[in-house]
Amino acid sequence: RIPIMDDLLAKWRQEQLEIAEQVEVKPDEEYLNQQHTLPAILRDYRAHSWSDTKHHDKLVGGVDISFGAGNHAIAVYVILKHCEVIYQDSLAFELTQPYVSSYLGAS
């Protein structure tokens, strides 16, 4: 292992902890007042339809980064509503920090 990478990863972990301390999770009162057994959740999931009025305002977003040669990368952000793309954007950039495969997935 490279000591400078250990120092960098330790710095990133500390930054993640500091950010996590600022997160405020608020319960969804409607959800908390319902019965939530696994069979009920699965039944609701199977019965769910994106055309239901209950779900008209639901948006789903995602981001991914692809890496090219050298320090070049591109980030793509997409928002879906009713499984249709309603917004997309991308940004090509150069990495200023080393890429660490699976870092966020393993944190």
Side-chain angles (χ1 to χ4, degrees), residues 2 9 18 21-22 24 26 29 42-43 47 71 90-91:
I2 303 169
L9 292 176
E18 291 170 6
E21 288 176 357
Q22 298 174 36
E24 183 178 341
K26 295 182 178 182
E29 295 299 329
L42 292 174
R43 182 187 64 246
N71 290 335
S90 63
L91 175 68

Side-chain angles (χ1 to χ4, degrees), residues 5 7-8 11 15 22 25 27 33 35 39-40 45 54 56 58 60 67 71-72 74 80 83 88 90-92 103 106:
M5 283 300 294
D7 293 344
L8 182 60
K11 179 183 174 208
E15 288 177 6
Q22 298 174 36
V25 178
N33 291 329
Q35 296 269 338
Y45 176 77
K54 176 182 173 184
H56 272 281
K58 301 293 181 186
V60 177
F67 301 92
N71 290 335
H72 298 279
I74 185 168
L80 304 173
C83 298
Q88 65 184 26
S90 63
L91 175 68
Y103 175 74

Side-chain angles (χ1 to χ4, degrees), residues 32-102:
L32 292 175
N33 291 329
Q34 298 173 2
Q35 296 269 338
H36 296 286
T37 62
L38 184 57
I41 292 170
L42 292 174
R43 182 187 64 246
D44 291 346
Y45 176 77
R46 289 185 186 121
H48 175 72
S49 167
W50 284 103
S51 63
D52 290 346
T53 56
K54 176 182 173 184
H55 300 285
H56 272 281
D57 296 329
K58 301 293 181 186
L59 302 176
V60 177
V63 65
D64 194 22
I65 300 175
S66 293
F67 301 92
N71 290 335
H72 298 279
I74 185 168
V76 178
Y77 181 66
V78 178
I79 298 176
L80 304 173
K81 184 174 184 178
H82 304 286
C83 298
E84 292 183 31
V85 175
I86 62 168
Y87 179 83
Q88 65 184 26
D89 200 359
S90 63
L91 175 68
F93 61 98
E94 278 194 47
L95 296 172
T96 59
Q97 299 287 322
Y99 171 68
V100 180
S101 177
S102 300

